Structure formats: structure tokens, C-alpha cells
Amino acid sequence: MRLAFFSTQSYDRTYFDKYNEGHSIHYIPVGLQADTVPLAAGCEGVCVFVNDRLDAGVIRDLKALGLRLIALRCAGFNNVDLEAARAAGMAVVRVPAYSPHAVAEHAVALIMALNRKTHKAYNRIREGNFSLEKLTGFDLYGKTVGVVGTGKIGEAFAKIMLGFGCRVLAHDLYLQPGLVAAGVEYVSLEALLTQSLIVSLHCPLTEQTHHLINAQTLAQLPAGAMLINTSRGALIDTAAVIRSLKHRHLGYLGMDVYEQEEKLFFKDHSEELIEDDQILRLMGFPNVMITAHQGFFTEEALTQIARVTLDNIRQFEAGEPLKNAV
Ligand code: NAI
């Protein structure tokens, strides 16, 4: 099957070429959006990632070019207008789980770095500065950690935090009996926010969760709390989070995702003027750590993404039931 593979990075090509058996993959470095649809001409399907935008217009234009498949090489599908895809008769497949541990462990890496300021210590030592001034952290042991969304990633994260000796509170639409047995306490969102020193977001971006963290919910956090977002940028109202940091209410912010990340992430902008004032403001806080959507970025996850995506495409081509249809 011939596929237009949008937003290609070198590592995508490495892992997909390694596992591809027989598909013709047309690697395209730019993202999929209204003006790049023509690049998919001659293909039967597109393979897309988190920041490719498949709105109703793009789907209509893909359909007009004769494409029949949207293969997401990620878990989240908030960037696809599913109704438009259904109406166009296009199949949508995804990789529901590639490595929940990769993302959960990255959330923990953000917590550890923000807390113990290892990034600052590393730079100090390189400059011959062995002072410990202002590097004070806190013990994680015994602290209360809130997990919003206890699906695959939230579950892995909760278990790691239990291992640190934390009290773990959780909020989800569904309770996971296994986590309750392990010692996690399910509570309302308000109870979680008011009691947790660290809150980590692991729910998907939906209409209900859009700006879940806003001025009101930020005010419910204890002063000095740490907020970690490795899920989707728009779970957080960025303007509200900047205000909370400026007012010294939110103590730390770790983010692997950002509301306006499409224009920035996965590209080198180091020689350009960055025009996004919000990210520049966030970059200026000493208690904010930003990574560019690298939670998933482990060898295990890249292998699984390539294998499952290629198998999804094979199932579609063979007319088999689509195990990972959205
Ligand atoms: P999952 O589907 O296994 O779990 C999501 C959980 O969130 C479910 O338990 C669901 O009931 C819960 N949920 C849904 N709406 C909720 C609400 N309103 N309030 C509280 N909980 C709610 O998904 P998984 O695999 O754990 O992934 C979670 C998210 O992580 C994805 O949606 C994606 O946005 C993000 N992600 C980020 C990556 C990265 O590289 N930073 C990589 C992979 C996923």
C-alpha cells in the first residue's frame, strides 16, 4: 500500500524502514494541514502524528484525492475530526499503547529534575561552581501525589509514585480495582487538587478535559504545588498557569506538551525569533521545565509504534477487522 507519511523525522524513517515489509512509504518532512494535502496525491493512506491537523476540510480533501486510511502513529486522536472521517468513509487506526512506562517515567523525570534541580546543578558544575545555594529540594517520601486519569500511563505513574513511598490520590471516570488494592485512593478532582503537592495529568484531551487546569482549579492547589503535564497541552489554560506562577502560587511546572506546540515542537528554532510570547514567558521561569513532547521517546516505544502502525495498515489492506480502529 502507498502511504503519505507526514511530519517525518529521521527516527521515524529508521524504525519504519526496519520493520516495513512491502508498503511503499512516501516520507514527507512537513506536517499535514490544509495546504499540504496535495503531497498525499497518489497514496491510499496517510500516516500522521500528534500535531498533524485532520479537520473536516483536510479529511474532505484527502477523500477527494482517493485516500481511504488515516493511520495515527500515536495513541491520542484529539487532532482528528472523527465524525468527518466517518462521514467520508475513511478508516482511522491508532497505536493505543506503545510504552505507557516511557511516558510515566518521563513524568517522574520532570518531577525529579524540578525538585532536585539537577539541570541547574549540571550547568553549575560545568562552570566550576560547586555551591549548593538555592538547590534545596524536598523528599518525595510521604508526600501526596495526585494522578488525573488512571489509564495505562496514569497506572504506571501511580505505581512508580507508590514505590517512592508517596500517598497517591487518583481521579478518573472509572476506578481501577488493581490500583485501589495497591493503595491508591480515588477521590473527586477537587479533593485531589486541594490535597496534592504534586499533580500529574494523564487523561486524554476531550471537550470535558479542555482547560481542566484553569484559574479556578489552580487556586485549589496548595501554594507551592508542582503540576506535571505529559498528556496534551490544552488540558492546561496556559495564560492562567503563567499568572499562577507569577503570583508565586504554583511552585513548579513540568510540561512535555504545550497548548500551541504545533508551531514549535519537533523542529530546531534556535536560529529564529520565536514569536510565541507564552512559551517565551514560560521558558523564563526558573521553576518551569519544558521538554518537547519526548515522553514517548524510547527505543521500546518507537519499535512498538512502527510495528503496530504497520500491522494496522496490513489489516486494512487485507480487509481484516481493524483491531486498533478509533
Ligand atoms: P488511556 O486511554 O489508557 O487512559 C486515559 C484515562 O483517562 C482513562 O482511564 C480515562 O477514563 C481517563 N479519563 C478520561 N476522561 C477523564 C476525565 N474527564 N477526568 C479524569 N479522567 C479521565 O490513555 P493513556 O495511554 O494512559 O494515555 C493518556 C494520554 O497521554 C493520552 O490521551 C495522550 O494524550 C497522552 N500521551 C502523551 C505522550 C507523550 O509523549 N507525552 C505519549 C502517549 C500518550
Side-chain angles (χ1 to χ4, degrees), residues 17-31:
D17 282 352
K18 185 167 172 192
Y19 295 105
N20 180 23
E21 288 174 355
H23 300 297
S24 162
I25 303 182
H26 174 34
Y27 291 110
I28 303 167
V30 297

Side-chain angles (χ1 to χ4, degrees), residues 19-161:
Y19 295 105
N20 180 23
E21 288 174 355
H23 300 297
S24 162
I25 303 182
H26 174 34
Y27 291 110
I28 303 167
V30 297
L32 175 59
Q33 54 191 38
D35 59 348
T36 58
V37 170
L39 296 172
C43 295
E44 291 150 86
V46 286
C47 182
V48 292
F49 196 48
V50 291
N51 291 327
D52 292 302
R53 200 171 306 150
L54 290 102
D55 57 23
V58 165
I59 288 172
R60 184 197 56 223
D61 294 348
L62 288 172
K63 170 81 179 167
L65 284 178
L67 278 84
R68 296 177 295 131
L69 175 68
I70 297 168
L72 290 153
R73 53 182 193 280
C74 54
F77 48 85
N78 53 285
N79 53 333
V80 182
D81 186 330
L82 291 178
E83 245 171 60
R86 235 165 260 137
M90 292 186 80
V92 183
V93 288
R94 66 173 182 139
V95 186
Y98 27 96
S99 173
H101 306 289
V103 186
E105 289 169 14
H106 190 69
V108 178
L110 288 173
I111 293 172
M112 298 300 281
L114 279 167
N115 174 19
R116 304 304 296 266
K117 305 171 179 67
T118 33
H119 54 305
K120 294 184 188 179
Y122 174 79
N123 284 326
R124 279 192 193 182
I125 301 289
R126 284 170 69 89
E127 290 182 4
N129 177 357
F130 296 85
S131 161
L132 297 183
E133 291 296 330
K134 309 275 183 205
L135 294 184
T136 323
F138 57 85
D139 285 10
L140 283 173
Y141 179 82
K143 298 295 186 302
T144 301
V145 177
V147 188
V148 182
T150 51
K152 291 172 283 295
I153 297 171
E155 177 184 2
F157 174 80
K159 286 180 176 166
I160 298 172
M161 298 324 289

Side-chain angles (χ1 to χ4, degrees), residues 49-50 74-78 94 96-100 103 106 148-155 171-174 176 201-206 208-209 212 229-232 235 256-257 293-297:
F49 196 48
V50 291
C74 54
F77 48 85
N78 53 285
R94 66 173 182 139
Y98 27 96
S99 173
V103 186
H106 190 69
V148 182
T150 51
K152 291 172 283 295
I153 297 171
E155 177 184 2
H171 174 71
D172 198 310
L173 308 176
Y174 311 96
Q176 275 221 41
L201 305 177
H202 299 289
C203 57
L205 176 62
T206 62
Q208 292 73 42
T209 61
L212 182 85
N229 187 10
T230 56
S231 194
R232 283 294 179 265
L235 293 178
D256 186 48
V257 285
H293 210 134
Q294 71 176 82
F296 74 101
F297 205 52

